[in-house]
Amino acid sequence: MKVSILQFPGTNCEYDTQHAFEALGAKTEIVWHKSESIPEDTNLLVVAGGFSYGDYLRSGAIAKFSPVMKAVIEYANNGGKVLGICNGFQVLTEARLLPGALKRNEHLHFISKHHNLKVVNNDNIFLEKLSKDEIINIPIAHHDGNYYIDQDGLKDLYANNQVLLTYSDKDGNVLNPNGSVDSIAGICNKEKNVFGLMPHPERAMEALLGSDDGVKMLQGFLSA
């Protein structure tokens, strides 16, 4: 299993992501944003979290113009598996590989804490090792995590089982930290090969650090 991880100026989670996947037995490679291709042996491409280009203009809006993004779009459109985490989710929406957009948090403050998530759909490779309605505890760290999509788009998401995760309390009740539509924390595309979420599963790999619920999330990709 080969995981390629994108690195933009301002990315700060690429090495956490590398550590997480290597701990699960995967081979990894960091891919600089000026590369015009994705390594041919890539089984999963991860757009890591951070603050690409300092989040100037709009989170992910400048990164989508990086040379590597043309290859990312081609890779995804050919069925390649892509995971966007936090800023990576923002980049994927800006590149139109995922629907919707990420706005400033409703209260305009940066959030950094562990937060519970409810699994809405597990009929995909990303969450197949988790159960529907299972509650997991994953760190969040974002200023622009308020997911928005219009009502027609929201209906399409549910009709196609594209809503993957929602923010909740420990009992599965809605607990929305940032104002996201329907408390959405993660989605996928219709083809279920491109995934995006604001929480950081790569930071939830060891119980000693607060949670190891990220292990089952990322293991799904390794079972393909």
Side-chain angles (χ1 to χ4, degrees), residues 203-219:
R203 297 182 185 177
M205 302 296 291
E206 301 172 56
L208 180 66
L209 299 180
S211 173
D212 60 359
D213 289 345
V215 172
K216 284 186 178 181
M217 299 179 84
L218 301 185
Q219 276 181 333

Side-chain angles (χ1 to χ4, degrees), residues 8-12 48-64 85-91 94 102-105 110-111 141-145 198 200:
F8 298 97
T11 301
N12 68 5
F51 304 91
S52 59
Y53 295 92
D55 278 352
Y56 290 112
L57 181 62
R58 190 174 61 247
S59 297
I62 299 177
K64 73 176 179 181
I85 302 171
C86 198
N87 186 233
F89 185 14
Q90 295 161 346
V91 172
E94 291 289 338
L102 281 306
K103 306 189 299 178
R104 285 285 168 91
N105 296 340
F110 186 88
I111 306 170
H142 56 250
H143 194 258
D144 300 333
M198 287 308 299
H200 287 268

Side-chain angles (χ1 to χ4, degrees), residues 112-115 117 137-142 198-205 209-211 214:
S112 181
K113 62 179 181 178
H114 278 75
H115 201 289
L117 306 174
N137 186 23
I138 303 291
I140 57 175
H142 56 250
M198 287 308 299
H200 287 268
E202 81 283 7
R203 297 182 185 177
M205 302 296 291
L209 299 180
S211 173

Side-chain angles (χ1 to χ4, degrees), residues 149-198:
I149 193 167
D150 63 26
Q151 286 302 305
D152 288 340
L154 185 63
K155 289 178 183 177
D156 285 343
L157 287 182
Y158 282 111
N160 296 303
N161 291 332
Q162 291 175 251
V163 177
L164 304 182
L165 299 158
T166 55
Y167 299 106
S168 74
D169 64 16
K170 62 182 178 62
D171 298 314
N173 302 307
V174 172
L175 183 59
N176 193 332
N178 53 31
S180 290
V181 169
D182 264 29
S183 198
I184 290 173
I187 64 169
C188 66
N189 64 346
K190 290 181 180 179
E191 294 75 21
K192 294 183 171 56
N193 68 300
V194 180
F195 306 88
L197 75 163
M198 287 308 299

